[in-house]
Amino acid sequence: MLPALLGLTACAPTASTAAPTTGCGPATAVVTDVDIEPIGADPGSTLPATVTSADGSTVTVTDASRILPVNLYGSIAEIVFSLGLGDRVIGRDTSTTFPAAGDLPVVTPAGHDLSTEAILRLNPTVVLADDSIGPPEVLAQLRRAGIPVVLVDDEQSLAAIGRNIRTIAAALGVPEAGEQLVARVEGDIAAARRAAPPDTAPLRIAFLYVRGTAGVYLIGGRGAGSDEMVRAIGATDAGTEIGLSNFRPLTSEGLINAAPDVILVMTEGLASVKGVDGLLALPGVAQTPAGQHRRIVDMDDGLLLTFGARTGRAIRALADAVYGSCA
């Protein structure tokens, strides 16, 4: 889930030294190939496998023929499919939206809450999850039913991707495939980082999490995950720069202090406030350099903060949208 909301605090604004935003405008970051590219055919599992779950418990997996990977971001399923194990996956969460998983039954019928009944009907032999999804009582019930539940780290960062791939691959008995996937993903991310122009001052980018239909308006800071994506394209996270951490309620004063050159949002979030004009109507947005120049970049909800096997593609698409939207 989004981190718990605390009070909004902000430091004094820092003047941006980025290139002028004149000539730029709204843009959408587009990943042209959104489906999963497995590293190869199903490598077969060497089981039993005993791993340490992120909650400290020791879990032994004896059968990985019916895998249920679930979390808030869809990243666990993305990794499982990328390991070549997609044919073993029996269900999905609402955040797992890539085409290869589209026909799988959903086990989060109420938003992002897991349904014990829906999961048990699928008869999984192993469940992979993290602390972003719950409630915890459901995962406890599954363990009491004899189903191995392996929790992976829910840290939203580039550095965590390799660790999570190794944890998932170890639990499923395919550690060699895990190392191959780590090498590919890290190579993709390194190549994508080089897409940022080397001779420009860093842009200030603020990530806004908006859900107009629910009245939710947040700004990201250090540790929100959005800060990692912003830094990956050579920019400065405006929320972090004014002392924010995780997600905080959006206020006009805080956003004006952040002084972003670019505002980054999720595509569905932008639609929920009726597009760029609706976003500009939110308090403080029109008073920022980004608002004045309508420099709004949106990106698919299922890619921007996933931190999975497709993150290199997401970074490259974000860099193209941010730096390629200027005349």
Side-chain angles (χ1 to χ4, degrees):
M1 303 294 178
L2 291 177
L5 302 180
L6 304 176
L8 175 63
T9 58
C11 304
T14 303
S16 173
T17 58
T21 57
T22 304
C24 307
T28 298
V30 177
V31 174
T32 54
D33 182 8
V34 297
D35 215 342
I36 300 301
E37 181 185 349
I39 58 169
D42 188 328
S45 295
T46 301
L47 297 172
T50 299
V51 296
T52 301
S53 180
D55 61 353
S57 61
T58 299
V59 181
T60 297
V61 179
T62 59
D63 184 348
S65 63
R66 298 181 63 80
I67 305 167
L68 180 62
V70 288
N71 68 341
L72 179 63
Y73 315 102
S75 55
I76 298 180
E78 188 173 297
I79 290 170
V80 172
F81 271 78
S82 297
L83 288 168
L85 308 179
D87 287 344
R88 306 192 203 175
V89 177
I90 58 171
R92 66 181 179 92
D93 49 64
T94 55
S95 297
T96 298
T97 58
F98 52 83
D103 293 333
L104 293 172
V106 176
V107 297
T108 51
H112 293 286
D113 287 341
L114 294 168
S115 165
T116 305
E117 294 76 13
I119 293 173
L120 291 177
R121 279 197 299 269
L122 296 176
N123 191 28
T125 59
V126 59
V127 173
L128 303 169
D130 64 27
D131 282 342
S132 71
I133 201 164
E137 293 77 18
V138 171
L139 298 176
Q141 288 174 355
L142 297 176
R143 280 178 168 168
R144 287 196 295 270
I147 301 170
V149 176
V150 179
L151 298 182
V152 301
D153 189 357
D154 68 343
E155 177 184 328
Q156 291 297 96
S157 71
L158 298 178
I161 298 175
R163 296 197 300 268
N164 289 345
I165 291 173
R166 289 187 173 101
T167 297
I168 291 167
L172 300 178
V174 291
E176 292 184 2
E179 291 304 320
Q180 294 176 39
L181 183 58
V182 168
R184 189 182 79 182
V185 170
E186 290 182 348
D188 289 346
I189 291 173
R193 283 178 178 274
R194 295 192 289 269
D199 57 350
T200 60
L203 290 167
R204 294 173 65 87
I205 301 180
F207 174 71
L208 304 186
Y209 181 89
V210 297
R211 286 295 185 266
T213 51
V216 177
Y217 306 101
L218 309 174
I219 181 171
R222 183 181 301 277
S226 49
D227 58 323
E228 290 269 324
M229 296 296 287
V230 167
R231 288 195 298 272
I233 65 168
T236 296
D237 183 68
T240 299
E241 285 294 292
I242 63 168
L244 303 183
S245 60
N246 295 317
F247 287 93
R248 294 290 181 263
L250 177 65
T251 68
S252 58
E253 178 184 5
L255 188 57
I256 292 169
N257 279 345
D261 302 300
V262 179
I263 289 176
L264 175 62
V265 293
M266 291 181 174
T267 300
E268 289 184 14
L270 186 62
S272 77
V273 295
K274 303 188 186 304
V276 172
D277 289 338
L279 188 69
L280 292 173
L282 297 180
V285 175
Q287 286 72 52
T288 64
Q292 291 165 8
H293 297 286
R294 298 174 66 85
R295 197 167 184 186
I296 313 298
V297 174
D298 69 281
M299 190 168 190
D300 183 85
D301 300 43
L303 285 167
L304 179 56
L305 298 182
T306 299
F307 292 99
R310 297 178 296 170
T311 295
R313 297 184 220 172
I315 292 171
R316 183 55 187 262
L318 181 59
D320 289 346
V322 168
Y323 299 109
S325 62
C326 303

